[in-house]
Amino acid sequence: MKPLDNAEARTVVEESISRIVPDADFSLVGPDDKFRDVLELDSLDFLSLVELLSERTGIRIDEEDYPELTTLSDATRFLVDRTRGETDPAL
């Protein structure tokens, strides 16, 4: 996958969450709020989200990466950084 910019990464995160929680109201979630708490995602929902993000971006997301996926801004930054790093071996 090509490197994502912030807007594209944020869209991937929100669309992926919406597939798991179809009625997710992102107006309730600030960029630095823990979206699992606000949207009431349980651990299985979160694992489904990780799997969806990985499928959609083509990047590997390991368990040690999970703390990077707690807020919308963190998850967005993680996808931007990881897609850039995965596609450019010089990084």
Side-chain angles (χ1 to χ4, degrees):
M1 175 174 223
K2 70 178 183 71
L4 299 173
D5 64 25
N6 284 332
E8 292 167 328
R10 175 75 178 248
T11 298
V12 168
V13 172
E14 289 184 359
E15 287 176 351
S16 297
I17 291 171
S18 293
R19 286 185 58 188
I20 296 161
V21 184
D23 59 345
D25 183 355
F26 291 101
S27 68
L28 301 175
V29 185
D32 296 315
D33 292 339
K34 293 182 178 182
F35 61 80
R36 284 182 69 179
D37 295 339
V38 176
L39 300 175
E40 300 179 356
L41 272 73
D42 62 25
S43 57
L44 290 177
D45 291 335
F46 181 74
L47 291 175
S48 295
L49 172 62
V50 169
E51 190 173 302
L52 274 173
L53 292 174
S54 183
E55 286 173 12
R56 293 191 63 188
T57 61
I59 62 173
R60 181 183 172 118
I61 303 174
D62 296 314
E63 191 172 344
E64 63 260 13
D65 298 321
Y66 293 177
E68 304 278 336
L69 304 172
T70 57
T71 68
L72 293 176
S73 60
D74 287 344
T76 298
R77 184 173 31 256
F78 174 82
L79 292 181
V80 168
D81 291 347
R82 195 56 74 87
T83 57
R84 284 187 183 146
E86 294 278 329
T87 57
D88 186 352
L91 291 179

